[in-house]
Amino acid sequence: MPKLTALKPVLKPLSHRVSKLGAYENEQQRFRQRDESQAYRKWYKTARWQKLRMSVLVRDLFTCQMVGCGRIMADTSKLVCDHRTPHRGREVLFWDERNLQCICKECHDSIKQQEEQATLHLRGNWD
C-alpha cells in the first residue's frame, strides 16, 4: 500500500493577515488623531472642497501642472488638487481657487513633498 503524504497548505497563515489588520487599524487611528489636532483637515471632507477640487481639475484639463510632467489622467483618484502656496491653516488661502493646481499623485508624493519638507522650519510662521 502506498504511503500517505501530507498536502501543502493552500492558504497563508492567518497570523500574517491579522498582523496587517492591526497595522491598518493603527494607521487609521493616527489619521484620526491628526485630523482632530488640525482643524483645517475637516475642510477636505466637505462637499464645498469636492466641488472646488473638481472645478480645478476641469480647469487644468486633468493635466499635471508640475514643470516637466504634463501627464493627463482620466482617473481623478490619481490626481491631487494641490495648494501652490501652503495654506498652513489659513482659510483664505485654503479656499482660493487661484492658489490651487492639478498635479498627478506621483509628483505630489515625491517632488512636491520634498519641497514642503524643505520648508518645515517655517511651519507656524504666517508670513
Side-chain angles (χ1 to χ4, degrees), residues 33-45:
Q33 288 172 345
R34 179 195 64 190
D35 291 351
E36 290 169 3
S37 68
Q38 299 169 335
Y40 72 86
R41 299 286 310 166
K42 295 175 184 172
W43 298 339
Y44 287 108
K45 295 176 175 63

Side-chain angles (χ1 to χ4, degrees), residues 92-108:
V92 173
L93 269 180
F94 185 90
W95 295 109
D96 184 5
E97 188 172 349
R98 294 166 299 182
N99 188 37
L100 297 170
Q101 64 182 344
C102 171
I103 63 175
C104 67
K105 184 152 176 46
E106 188 174 320
C107 285
H108 181 266

Side-chain angles (χ1 to χ4, degrees), residues 71-88:
R71 286 189 191 121
I72 299 172
M73 301 271 191
D75 183 357
T76 59
S77 69
K78 294 181 181 177
L79 293 172
V80 176
C81 185
D82 177 64
H83 292 89
R84 288 184 173 116
T85 303
H87 59 84
R88 295 192 180 109

Side-chain angles (χ1 to χ4, degrees), residues 111-125:
I111 299 167
K112 185 68 176 180
Q113 290 304 308
Q114 288 172 359
E115 291 173 3
E116 290 188 10
Q117 292 297 318
T119 63
L120 275 179
H121 64 283
L122 298 176
R123 293 242 169 123
N125 296 334

Side-chain angles (χ1 to χ4, degrees), residues 41-88:
R41 299 286 310 166
K42 295 175 184 172
W43 298 339
Y44 287 108
K45 295 176 175 63
T46 63
R48 179 182 176 191
W49 170 255
Q50 293 304 318
K51 184 177 176 182
L52 180 59
R53 176 185 180 271
M54 187 53 69
S55 72
V56 170
L57 298 183
V58 169
R59 179 197 71 197
D60 292 346
L61 302 174
F62 304 97
T63 305
C64 180
Q65 301 300 305
M66 288 299 282
V67 176
C69 183
R71 286 189 191 121
I72 299 172
M73 301 271 191
D75 183 357
T76 59
S77 69
K78 294 181 181 177
L79 293 172
V80 176
C81 185
D82 177 64
H83 292 89
R84 288 184 173 116
T85 303
H87 59 84
R88 295 192 180 109

Side-chain angles (χ1 to χ4, degrees), residues 4-32:
L4 294 175
T5 57
L7 296 174
K8 292 181 181 177
V10 178
L11 301 175
K12 292 181 181 177
L14 185 59
S15 62
H16 178 69
R17 292 180 183 178
V18 171
S19 66
K20 280 188 177 181
L21 180 61
Y24 173 78
E25 288 173 352
N26 288 340
E27 183 179 37
Q28 292 303 310
Q29 183 179 8
R30 188 171 49 91
F31 289 150
R32 279 191 296 274

